[in-house]
Amino acid sequence: MQKTIKVKTVPAHGLQVTQASDVTQDSIELNVDAVVIGSGAGGAIAAYELAKAGKKVVVLEAGPYVPSEKFTEMMAVSMDTLYADHGGQSNTAGDISILQGACVGGSTVVNAALCFRTPDYYLELWAKEFGLTNLTPEVMRPYFEKVEANLGIAPNKPYETSIAAQLLKGGMKKLDLPEGNASRNIRNCAMTGFCFAGCKSDRKQSMLVTYLPWAVAHGATIYSDTRATQILAANGKATGVLAEIIDPATKAVKSKLKINAPIVVGAAGPIQMPILLQKSKLANSNGQVGKNFACHPTMSITGMFEKNIDAFYGATHSLYMDKYTMPEDGGYLLLDAIQDPVEASFQADPGTGKPYMSYMSKYRNTVRLITLIHDQNVGEVNWKDGVKEIKYFVDDADFEIMKAGLKTNARVLFAAGAKYLYIPTSQKLTIDSEDQIDAVIDGLDNEPARYRYTSFHPQGTCRMGADPKTTVVSPKGETHEVKNLYIVDASLLPTSIGYNPSETVYALAHYISDQINQAHA
């Protein structure tokens, strides 16, 4: 007899979440079919698919629940309330800001909504080098189509293009460079330019307003302010999770939570997920947990124009150039990006005092163009002496790729009409004319802490592959060493993919959820 599934009505606004303020017990023990650690791109989709299949699901989110009506549309405030380490997460050298969401909905709440299907190049590479022959373009296509339909992923409409992107498009045309029209998970964009601060109008189709409410409608329960401390296992199988519910005001442990579940789904992200496995002493006899970290380090050149451009509204990203994205072609992607004053203030370094005030007074005249590189998975994430450690330095070969991308950036900006450019170094550095591009950029050395890098795309650390000696997770998403322990976030990716990875994670989470449901029907 087929199980009857009761579905709640999805509310028009808001999300049912158990927060620390709702908890009165010192300890709680729950028995469920599946526990999902993390509520971002992978976790929310897994929670929905498992709950839809009739499983009793609990989602644990370490960050707070911030409903969209409480988004301030102020970047500084949002960094403090919605981002990991209050926006201060970085590598050990401190020269790469590694930005991740730390709230219900995860990074999907604060990202730019930019989506690319995983190029066939990488699916074929992963099959050849990592034995992922199950992830063929033909197999993955329906998963991409599903998330694109569910999240409204589509190319920007002409009216969504920012003013800066139109200028840059003109520069690309002069240089005979192909322009790409970005696709985003947005419905009826309000073009306010506040993607990185959370979408107050709920038009960005983040997990906060899509898969999480859908999961709750199928009976899933969400706990915010709840940090998983240990994954439990016995006889080679996952058995549940220990967690702590933390009072966000006092940081004190308000309640201990034990969840007994025959299915554990890890979706804490490429930094917290390996740390949790290391703390749990699970799935790491080969020493690969935390290794192979990549993060798409980016640098942006800021062009100063003679007139006001007002490049702070419109689609956050509406233009890209991927002529040189594939590794054999160069390994970098160019993206336009609008920026609010807070971002503008740290993307370049004009100095302090009067020079800084002079720069910011011309903020309306600035246009930013980003170089994002396909990096070589050279970092690692560890839990060392009770402290999170992200050991990552831009590889020398990657730095040469970055320089090539910066040169293209500079030429596009000058062709678009910029009068001079700022390089994001720790001391003021400008390019004052087009004929200085090669000399200035060739003169850059790969010195830690000299440049202002930003990363929104941590990847790797729980690499997926067929060989249990060199990878952490099997081709079906289950860890090699612990049965019924699955991972569905960007830590799976065997290599950096050179494009924003969100749609890749969405599709893989759907695929792995199907494998879980088939194995635990």
Side-chain angles (χ1 to χ4, degrees):
M1 184 175 177
Q2 190 172 7
K3 187 186 293 185
T4 301
I5 301 172
K6 294 182 180 180
V7 181
K8 302 176 185 178
T9 301
V10 178
H13 188 68
L15 181 62
Q16 185 178 341
V17 177
T18 300
Q19 304 175 68
S21 57
D22 301 318
V23 175
T24 57
Q25 299 166 263
D26 294 347
S27 63
I28 301 170
E29 185 166 353
L30 301 174
N31 297 307
V32 299
D33 299 316
V35 55
V36 179
I37 306 165
S39 65
I45 288 175
Y48 164 67
E49 289 290 3
L50 271 56
K52 187 177 71 168
K55 293 177 175 60
K56 187 176 181 181
V57 176
V58 167
V59 180
L60 308 180
E61 171 54 56
Y65 169 51
V66 183
S68 52
E69 67 266 18
K70 292 188 178 180
F71 293 156
T72 63
E73 298 187 335
M74 296 175 65
M75 189 66 182
V77 174
S78 298
M79 296 274 279
D80 183 54
T81 56
L82 300 175
Y83 284 75
D85 295 350
H86 308 286
Q89 182 171 262
S90 67
N91 62 335
T92 52
D95 60 347
I96 306 177
S97 294
I98 301 171
L99 300 173
Q100 286 182 291
C103 57
V104 172
S107 294
T108 69
V109 174
V110 295
N111 69 11
L114 189 59
C115 291
F116 295 94
R117 289 190 185 189
T118 317
D120 291 354
Y121 171 96
Y122 291 104
L123 297 177
E124 291 162 1
L125 175 71
W126 296 347
K128 180 181 178 181
E129 294 192 2
F130 298 95
L132 297 179
T133 54
N134 54 318
L135 302 181
T136 64
E138 292 72 28
V139 167
M140 294 306 296
R141 186 175 301 114
Y143 292 102
F144 292 127
E145 291 171 350
K146 178 184 287 190
V147 297
E148 287 165 1
N150 286 350
L151 298 178
I153 297 171
N156 283 311
K157 298 175 180 65
Y159 66 83
E160 294 174 325
T161 302
S162 68
I163 297 169
Q166 293 287 7
L167 282 172
L168 293 169
K169 192 181 294 186
M172 288 182 180
K173 189 173 182 179
K174 288 180 182 178
L175 298 173
D176 197 28
L177 294 173
E179 62 184 66
N181 183 21
S183 291
R184 300 181 299 148
N185 53 294
I186 299 281
R187 297 190 193 275
N188 302 315
C189 184
M191 299 180 292
T192 59
F194 293 120
C195 274
F196 295 136
C199 183
K200 196 175 183 71
S201 64
D202 286 344
R203 298 177 189 226
K204 177 163 64 175
Q205 302 296 285
S206 73
M207 299 297 105
L208 183 64
V209 298
T210 54
Y211 281 87
L212 289 175
W214 302 344
V216 170
H218 283 282
T221 302
I222 302 171
Y223 279 79
S224 67
D225 310 314
T226 303
R227 183 172 296 281
T229 57
Q230 184 181 350
I231 296 172
L232 302 174
N235 301 318
K237 291 184 179 181
T239 60
V241 172
L242 297 180
E244 295 174 341
I245 300 175
I246 309 294
D247 185 318
T250 65
K251 308 304 180 186
V253 176
K254 193 167 185 182
S255 182
K256 299 277 189 176
L257 180 61
K258 181 181 182 183
I259 301 175
N260 302 307
I263 302 169
V264 176
V265 181
I271 293 170
Q272 291 299 338
M273 197 64 237
I275 287 174
L276 180 58
L277 290 175
Q278 289 169 5
K279 286 180 177 179
S280 304
K281 296 180 170 58
L282 293 175
N284 195 29
S285 65
N286 62 8
Q288 289 299 300
V289 169
K291 298 294 196 295
N292 308 305
F293 176 75
C295 64
H296 284 173
T298 70
M299 278 203 284
S300 57
I301 293 184
T302 300
M304 189 67 72
F305 288 70
E306 284 188 332
K307 60 182 181 180
N308 292 344
I309 308 300
D310 293 341
F312 45 76
Y313 61 89
T316 305
H317 298 303
S318 52
L319 177 69
Y320 68 91
M321 197 281 287
D322 63 354
K323 181 177 180 179
Y324 306 111
T325 301
M326 294 306 170
E328 65 267 26
D329 296 325
Y332 65 87
L333 177 75
L334 300 191
L335 284 171
D336 84 297
I338 65 173
Q339 60 181 345
D340 78 353
V342 173
E343 282 185 280
S345 70
F346 61 72
Q347 288 295 343
D349 193 337
T352 59
K354 288 183 178 180
Y356 174 81
M357 295 301 292
S358 175
Y359 173 79
M360 288 306 296
S361 71
K362 300 185 185 72
Y363 155 65
R364 296 179 65 187
N365 298 41
T366 61
V367 173
R368 180 165 61 127
L369 188 56
I370 293 173
T371 298
L372 181 156
I373 65 169
H374 164 103
D375 50 335
Q376 302 302 311
N377 295 82
V378 294
E380 61 182 86
V381 174
N382 296 305
W383 184 248
K384 186 176 180 181
D385 300 326
V387 177
K388 173 176 59 180
E389 179 184 65
I390 305 172
K391 293 175 67 177
Y392 181 96
F393 302 95
V394 175
D395 180 79
D396 286 344
D398 285 342
F399 189 71
E400 292 305 311
I401 292 169
M402 179 68 77
K403 286 164 64 175
L406 292 177
K407 287 181 180 181
T408 305
N409 268 4
R411 292 189 174 98
V412 169
L413 282 161
F414 276 123
K419 297 305 173 186
Y420 56 95
L421 314 176
Y422 285 91
I423 304 291
T425 51
S426 56
Q427 295 181 332
K428 181 180 177 181
L429 180 64
T430 62
I431 301 176
D432 298 317
S433 63
E434 193 169 357
D435 58 11
Q436 293 181 0
I437 292 173
D438 287 342
V440 172
I441 295 176
D442 285 340
L444 302 178
D445 294 321
N446 188 22
E447 300 173 22
R450 185 183 178 191
Y451 305 101
R452 297 185 176 215
Y453 293 103
T454 303
S455 166
F456 255 110
H457 308 149
Q459 301 165 53
T461 67
C462 295
R463 187 175 255 176
M464 190 182 200
D467 186 353
K469 295 179 181 178
T470 59
T471 62
V472 177
V473 176
S474 79
K476 291 190 176 182
E478 186 178 42
T479 61
H480 290 296
E481 296 180 21
V482 182
K483 297 300 179 186
N484 303 339
L485 171 57
Y486 298 86
I487 297 179
V488 295
D489 58 35
S491 62
L492 290 172
L493 302 188
T495 68
S496 172
I497 58 172
Y499 287 86
N500 297 52
S502 55
E503 188 169 350
T504 298
V505 175
Y506 297 147
L508 283 173
H510 270 294
Y511 173 82
I512 294 169
S513 296
D514 279 356
Q515 310 312 306
I516 298 171
N517 282 328
Q518 289 168 18
H520 302 271

